[in-house]
């Protein structure tokens, strides 16, 4: 029924003991959309993304990826490229060797073209030949984003991708994400920065204390609702 919808989240709830980290979260990510999950630290963004990558089970609710209900180990996870937890790079290998190893493990062909495209997006230049142990945090972050984009997955899920990047790299990342969502692909990206979501996303889901406080087109939500801005920027 929702076979063409990259992501559909219904009534998501996650409890840790007595603490409710995510409560009644519903949203959709459609093809062509860059959806920002916006909220202050502790709002439940990472928890939401971890649940939808199958890294932890929800207490309640359902997630559908291209119409398939997501359960841990679902084959449909292979249609999602994700940067949710820092990938464990092999420190003594170069950035390029790490991506090649990762790609080989997915068992897919046409490696060179896919790698080249991802590396171009990452913009690491000649640094791809250096060992990852000598990378700065920002370089690791860019390599991780390149890895998530390998093979141009139809749905890209990124947790705070601009963390550790400098302003020119952040600007470039915005361009990359906008371009990425063309050709029917979709992006879900978390952020605690309103300005970032405003400049990057088509749609926004604003969360606070685990619950959605506003959602819709960025142009409709941002600016129109000063309380949303205050809550978010106060964090
Ligand atoms: P941040 O930007 O800081 O990662 P966030 O919006 O991603 O914020 P989460 O990391 O999802 O927030 O955390 C939401 C709440 O759930 C926080 O109060 C956090 O302390 C709590 N929490 C997260 N993971 C666990 C856990 N494993 N056990 C107990 N509480 C947790």
């Amino acid at each position: 029924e929702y076979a063409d919808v990259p992501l559909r989240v219904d009534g998501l709830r996650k409890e840790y003991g007595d603490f409710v980290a995510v409560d009644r979260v519903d949203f959709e990510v459609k093809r062509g959309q860059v959806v920002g999950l916006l909220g202050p630290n502790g709002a439940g963004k990472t928890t939401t993304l971890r649940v939808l990558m199958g890294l932890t089970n929800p207490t309640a609710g359902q997630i559908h990826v291209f119409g398939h209900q997501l359960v841990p180990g679902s084959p449909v996870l292979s249609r999602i490229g994700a940067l949710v937890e820092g990938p464990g790079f092999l420190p003594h290998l170069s950035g390029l060797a790490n991506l090649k190893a990762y790609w080989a493990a997915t068992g897919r062909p046409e490696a060179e073209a896919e790698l080249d495209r991802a590396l171009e997006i990452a913009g690491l230049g000649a640094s791809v030949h250096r060992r990852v142990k000598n990378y700065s945090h920002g370089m690791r972050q860019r390599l991780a984003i390149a890895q998530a984009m390998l093979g141009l997955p139809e749905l890209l899920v990124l947790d705070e991708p601009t963390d550790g990047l400098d302003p020119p790299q952040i600007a470039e990342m915005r361009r990359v994400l906008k371009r990425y969502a063309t050709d029917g692909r979709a992006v879900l990206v978390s952020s605690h920065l309103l300005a970032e979501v405003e400049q990057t996303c088509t749609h926004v889901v604003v969360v606070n204390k685990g619950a959605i406080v506003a959602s819709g087109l960025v142009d409709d939500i941002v600016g129109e609702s000063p309380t949303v801005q205050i809550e978010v920027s106060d964090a």
Side-chain angles (χ1 to χ4, degrees), residues 16 19 21 40-47 160:
Y16 293 109
F19 181 76
N41 289 336
K45 306 181 299 292
T46 299
T47 301
E160 308 257 1

Side-chain angles (χ1 to χ4, degrees), residues 35-161:
V35 178
L37 189 59
L38 175 68
N41 289 336
K45 306 181 299 292
T46 299
T47 301
T48 300
L49 299 187
R50 292 190 75 240
V51 169
L52 61 90
M53 288 314 297
L55 297 169
T56 186
N57 286 317
T59 307
Q62 293 192 335
I63 294 162
H64 286 86
V65 176
F66 295 104
H68 299 273
Q69 188 172 346
L70 196 78
V71 291
S74 291
V76 76
L77 280 168
S78 70
R79 291 171 76 175
I80 312 178
L83 169 57
V84 172
E85 289 186 337
F89 292 124
L90 299 164
H92 295 286
L93 293 184
S94 69
L96 181 61
N98 268 279
L99 290 195
K100 281 186 172 170
Y102 174 85
W103 188 242
T106 69
R108 286 191 280 180
E110 337 98 281
E112 292 304 324
E114 305 288 5
L115 276 172
D116 287 349
R117 211 162 353 176
L119 288 171
E120 187 191 316
I121 287 168
L124 288 167
S127 298
V128 294
H129 301 293
R130 286 170 55 194
R131 292 170 185 228
V132 167
K133 68 173 182 155
N134 297 321
Y135 277 24
S136 66
H137 177 65
M139 287 163 71
R140 277 175 195 251
Q141 186 74 355
R142 289 155 80 187
L143 189 65
I145 291 163
Q147 180 167 297
M149 290 178 173
L150 272 178
L152 304 178
E154 294 155 282
L155 173 62
L156 190 62
V157 174
L158 305 172
D159 195 10
E160 308 257 1

Side-chain angles (χ1 to χ4, degrees), residues 83 89 121-124 135-146 149 158-177 189-190 192-193 196 200:
L83 169 57
F89 292 124
I121 287 168
L124 288 167
Y135 277 24
S136 66
H137 177 65
M139 287 163 71
R140 277 175 195 251
Q141 186 74 355
R142 289 155 80 187
L143 189 65
I145 291 163
M149 290 178 173
L158 305 172
D159 195 10
E160 308 257 1
T162 57
D163 177 44
L165 303 188
D166 60 26
Q169 292 166 351
I170 291 173
E172 175 59 19
M173 188 52 49
R174 289 194 192 111
R175 283 192 287 276
V176 165
L177 294 185
V189 56
S190 78
H192 60 277
L193 300 171
E196 196 168 281
T200 309

